[in-house]
Amino acid sequence: MSPMRRDLFESEHDMFRDSFRRFLDKEIVPRAEEFERDGIMDRAIFAKAGEAGFLGMEVPEEYGGGGVKDFRYNTVIIEECAETAIGGSGLGITLHNDICLPYFLHLGNEEQKQRWLPGICSGELITAVAMTEPGIGSDLASMTTTAIRDGDVYIVNGSKTFITNGINADLVITAVKTDPSQKHKGMSLMIIERSMEGFERGRNLEKIGLHSQDTAELFFTDVRVPVENLLGPDEGEGFRHLVTNLPQERLSIAVAGLASARAAYRWTLEYVKERQAFGQPIAGFQNTRFKLAELATEVAVAEAFVDKAILAHNQGQLTAEEAAMAKWWCSELQGRATDIGVQLHGGYGYMTEYPIARAYTDARVTRIYGGTTEIMKEIIGKSILN
Ligand SMILES: Cc1cc2nc3c(=O)[nH]c(=O)nc-3n(C[C@H](O)[C@H](O)[C@H](O)COP(=O)(O)OP(=O)(O)OC[C@H]3O[C@@H](n4cnc5c(N)ncnc54)[C@H](O)[C@@H]3O)c2cc1C
């Protein structure tokens, strides 16, 4: 429920929303606690989502996708995951659709597309993207995982950490150094597959939120990766490919941040009307009205920017700076909104049976992953001052 009228969506998106919501209510919401406890979502959910048409919407039909390139469908999925407070499980799906898929779709050659896209769309192949290493995150070009060519294979050595879908993933888009003597120009991307010898998963990491998301360590020891698994025609282009795909990743995180802020506002609005103190509903206090007024305003203002960014992205016109603006602003808004929500729920806001509590802990990471707030400001600042 938006505080203001929105004109982003058409009737086909509303229908898609209804059907995705039914899917969530049937397949994920009733099992959300189980996935949170297990620290991972049942991988069978991906196949169910694929079967129902919620994966690979933009992939051409010949490869098993929906054949419609329109980020508003991705937006609907993100928003409904936020509304139903299934952040950790939802992230697995949106990472697969919004963040990993474009690498296969736009960089894959014909053979790679035929090999992988049908499984990605059906949900039989789950994807992850591995950039971060124990020693580096923001400073990506200093990464140390190497892929040294030896005939028709690359020999990969190194490790990655904090990898979303890390346990469930079958295909890992891995950032490697094919020329370790270089920084940006030495990087390449290649697909490392579940079955490859020497590829092992470490711990499913314990986090303060997003418990149902399997965030893991990955280890590569002399993994022999066929040269056919290199993404993009040439070695050394990995950094450029990452930069090309990051605006969509950041837009996805911005949409999720805004959706979470909107959900926090709605849950809080409902709660304060019910809860009584000093003989009146909490909603009767001026402080409550002011906080809700601030939230309604902030959500509506952010929505105007993000909805415009979504349409610009559909036209291929979203810039890296605009995506960075959306990402840092909406993830910070998400932090403020969930914090105010917890406060107005009082003690119940701290209990995980209330969605606001889970949304609060799930929210903290969005200011960090996908590029921190500080890195977003660097991108924007450099574009202004260059
Ligand atoms: C739950 C979770 C899921 C994740 N999923 C993935 C994934 O799927 N794939 C993946 O590759 N990575 C993933 N990450 C990693 C994430 O993208 C990184 O944690 C993030 O980019 C920050 O890197 P870092 O942790 O190394 O922090 P650092 O780079 O060490 O930064 C530490 C602090 O220094 C600041 N800082 C760094 N450089 C600058 C600078 N130039 N100017 C000002 N301040 C600076 C940062 O903003 C931050 O506040 C995930 C992380 C988490 C927590």
Side-chain angles (χ1 to χ4, degrees), residues 322-342:
E322 289 162 349
M325 287 176 185
K327 199 265 172 188
W328 86 259
W329 185 265
C330 292
S331 56
E332 299 277 338
L333 167 60
Q334 178 183 11
R336 287 194 296 279
T338 50
D339 187 57
I340 290 172
V342 168

Side-chain angles (χ1 to χ4, degrees), residues 95 129-132 136-139 161-164 207 210 215 365 368-372 374-375 378:
L95 178 102
V129 57
M131 300 180 250
T132 307
I136 64 99
S138 308
D139 180 17
T161 194
F162 306 150
I163 305 307
T164 302
K207 308 184 291 298
L210 291 178
T215 311
V365 74
I368 296 169
Y369 66 23
T372 63
E374 293 73 27
I375 295 298
E378 277 291 310

Side-chain angles (χ1 to χ4, degrees), residues 216-234:
E217 299 170 314
L218 308 178
F219 297 102
F220 309 108
T221 312
D222 292 330
V223 186
R224 297 173 72 79
V225 181
V227 289
E228 295 83 53
N229 282 25
L230 181 74
L231 270 188
D234 301 310

Side-chain angles (χ1 to χ4, degrees), residues 110-309:
E110 191 50 40
E111 183 274 325
Q112 291 172 331
K113 287 185 189 171
Q114 286 186 15
R115 184 148 54 114
W116 290 317
L117 285 176
I120 291 172
C121 295
S122 71
E124 277 144 311
L125 292 178
I126 299 171
T127 55
V129 57
M131 300 180 250
T132 307
E133 299 181 351
I136 64 99
S138 308
D139 180 17
L140 204 54
S142 297
M143 46 162 284
T144 58
T145 296
T146 53
I148 305 303
R149 185 144 181 186
D150 179 14
D152 54 5
V153 296
Y154 290 98
I155 312 285
V156 178
N157 281 289
S159 63
K160 300 286 176 182
T161 194
F162 306 150
I163 305 307
T164 302
N165 283 349
I167 301 289
N168 269 334
D170 303 289
L171 304 176
V172 182
I173 306 156
T174 311
V176 292
K177 280 274 172 78
T178 38
D179 181 353
S181 69
Q182 298 282 324
K183 287 196 87 178
H184 303 81
K185 289 193 176 142
M187 280 174 62
S188 302
L189 299 179
M190 57 188 56
I191 304 301
I192 301 193
E193 300 177 54
R194 171 179 285 282
S195 56
M196 290 178 172
E197 204 173 316
F199 168 26
E200 282 173 15
R201 294 161 212 253
R203 291 172 300 151
N204 185 0
L205 299 163
E206 290 201 11
K207 308 184 291 298
I208 60 170
L210 291 178
H211 294 301
S212 49
Q213 169 45 232
D214 48 314
T215 311
E217 299 170 314
L218 308 178
F219 297 102
F220 309 108
T221 312
D222 292 330
V223 186
R224 297 173 72 79
V225 181
V227 289
E228 295 83 53
N229 282 25
L230 181 74
L231 270 188
D234 301 310
E235 283 180 13
E237 295 289 323
F239 195 80
R240 196 170 60 80
H241 298 323
L242 290 172
V243 169
T244 307
N245 279 301
L246 282 171
Q248 174 155 316
E249 169 167 352
R250 289 173 181 155
L251 180 62
S252 175
I253 297 170
V255 170
L258 174 58
S260 171
R262 194 186 290 118
Y265 164 74
R266 182 175 66 76
W267 298 324
T268 307
L269 184 60
E270 284 166 12
Y271 184 82
V272 298
K273 289 182 194 162
E274 297 295 322
R275 179 75 176 172
Q276 302 271 327
F278 299 96
Q280 59 169 316
I282 302 290
F285 301 121
Q286 188 189 48
N287 176 65
T288 308
R289 287 198 298 279
F290 278 12
K291 290 293 174 205
L292 287 170
E294 287 166 17
L295 275 191
T297 309
E298 288 210 58
V299 167
V301 170
E303 210 165 70
F305 184 84
V306 170
D307 287 357
K308 199 172 158 210

